[in-house]
């Protein structure tokens, strides 16, 4: 059973930055892809960023140019660098993995990001 533990969230002012981390049980190199999602009350969980094969990245239009996803194989972790944060980025952020062609179905606790003055 893969466990995901997100951290790094907090309260930040508009224009500020945060770096989220997600530690994954087992070896992260065995997964075909990693991704970050976010969810706001009343909305569906949305894909924010993904990294495939540890190399190819994809970003939601709303965050492109501001967010960057990366993997640290030695630490079995995936990170999300978030710059130029806006109030619309306020959400609980979650990570997930893909094993082969199958995405994980058990979500971690997530980490709260609040962007406010």
């Amino acid at each position: 059973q893969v466990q995901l533990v997100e951290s790094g969230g907090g309260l930040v002012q508009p224009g500020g930055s945060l770096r989220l981390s997600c530690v994954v049980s087992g070896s992260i190199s065995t997964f075909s892809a990693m991704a970050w999602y976010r969810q706001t009350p009343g909305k569906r969980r949305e894909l924010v960023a993904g990294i495939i094969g540890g190399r190819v990245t994809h970003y939601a239009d709303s965050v492109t140019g501001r967010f960057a996803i990366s993997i640290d194989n030695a630490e079995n972790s995936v990170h999300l660098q978030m710059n130029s944060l806006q109030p619309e980025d306020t959400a609980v952020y979650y990570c997930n993995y893909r094993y082969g062609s199958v995405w994980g179905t058990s979500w971690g606790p997530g980490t709260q990001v609040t962007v406010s003055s």
Side-chain angles (χ1 to χ4, degrees), residues 6-12 18 20 36-48 62-63 66-67 80 82 85-95 109-116:
E6 302 92 345
S7 63
L11 175 64
V12 64
L18 284 174
L20 306 184
W36 283 96
Y37 295 77
R38 66 186 181 188
Q39 186 170 31
T40 301
K43 296 183 179 180
R44 297 277 295 177
R45 201 190 315 265
E46 66 171 333
L47 176 66
V48 175
S62 59
V63 307
R66 299 189 297 118
F67 290 11
L80 185 67
M82 306 186 296
L85 284 163
Q86 305 168 14
E88 307 87 77
D89 297 316
T90 295
V92 178
Y93 284 72
Y94 303 87
C95 65
T111 185
Q112 175 72 51
V113 172
T114 303
V115 185
S116 175

Side-chain angles (χ1 to χ4, degrees), residues 11-96:
L11 175 64
V12 64
Q13 297 180 353
S17 299
L18 284 174
R19 186 171 187 261
L20 306 184
S21 298
C22 173
V23 178
V24 185
S25 64
S27 178
I28 198 170
S29 64
T30 64
F31 304 128
S32 62
M34 298 295 299
W36 283 96
Y37 295 77
R38 66 186 181 188
Q39 186 170 31
T40 301
K43 296 183 179 180
R44 297 277 295 177
R45 201 190 315 265
E46 66 171 333
L47 176 66
V48 175
I51 182 166
I52 303 170
R55 298 180 178 86
V56 181
T57 59
H58 297 275
Y59 298 96
D61 290 342
S62 59
V63 307
T64 186
R66 299 189 297 118
F67 290 11
I69 186 172
S70 62
I71 289 176
D72 187 333
N73 287 305
E75 298 293 330
N76 286 320
S77 60
V78 59
H79 305 273
L80 185 67
Q81 178 66 46
M82 306 186 296
N83 300 322
S84 300
L85 284 163
Q86 305 168 14
E88 307 87 77
D89 297 316
T90 295
V92 178
Y93 284 72
Y94 303 87
C95 65
N96 200 11

